[in-house]
Amino acid sequence: MIEVAQSGYLNAMAAATYLVHKGVPFRTAHEKIGNAVRFAIEKGVELNELTLDELREFGVEFEEDFFAAITLEATLDCHDVIGGTRASECARI
C-alpha cells in the first residue's frame, strides 16, 4: 500500500500547500502544480522525480525543501483537520 500511495500524484495537494506556505495564493499554487503534474505525466515521472530546474519553470518559489514537503508522510500530515489523515488524527481512531 505504501508503494502505491506514493504514486499517482496523490501529493499534489501537499505540493500546492507548499507553495501557499511560500506566499503563493492557493488559486495560483493550484495552477502551478497542475501544470507541473501535466509535465510530469508527459515525462512519465512522479512529482518528486522532477528536477529543481524543471520545477522552477512553473515558479521561482520552488526550493530544495519542496521534495521533503511532498513525501507520503508530509502529504498525510498536511491534512491537519478533525478526521483528516494527519498521523495524530489517525491515532485517535
Side-chain angles (χ1 to χ4, degrees), residues 16-17 19-32 61:
T17 301
L19 290 177
V20 169
H21 289 158
K22 297 286 183 176
V24 177
F26 180 77
R27 183 176 185 166
T28 305
H30 186 274
E31 179 182 1
K32 289 180 180 203
E61 303 84 7

Side-chain angles (χ1 to χ4, degrees), residues 47-89:
L47 279 175
N48 64 321
E49 296 174 297
L50 295 176
T51 67
L52 195 52
D53 286 337
E54 289 171 328
L55 289 165
R56 286 185 174 150
E57 291 183 30
F58 304 104
V60 297
E61 303 84 7
F62 288 99
E63 298 176 18
E64 271 302 324
D65 62 343
F66 173 75
F67 300 102
I70 63 166
T71 64
L72 178 58
E73 294 80 13
T75 298
L76 294 173
D77 283 350
C78 85
H79 301 288
D80 187 13
V81 296
I82 295 173
T85 56
R86 185 175 183 88
S88 60
E89 276 299 309

Side-chain angles (χ1 to χ4, degrees), residues 6-11 40-41 44-50 70:
Q6 293 179 24
S7 64
Y9 311 99
L10 297 175
N11 56 359
I41 289 170
V45 299
E46 295 291 327
L47 279 175
N48 64 321
E49 296 174 297
L50 295 176
I70 63 166

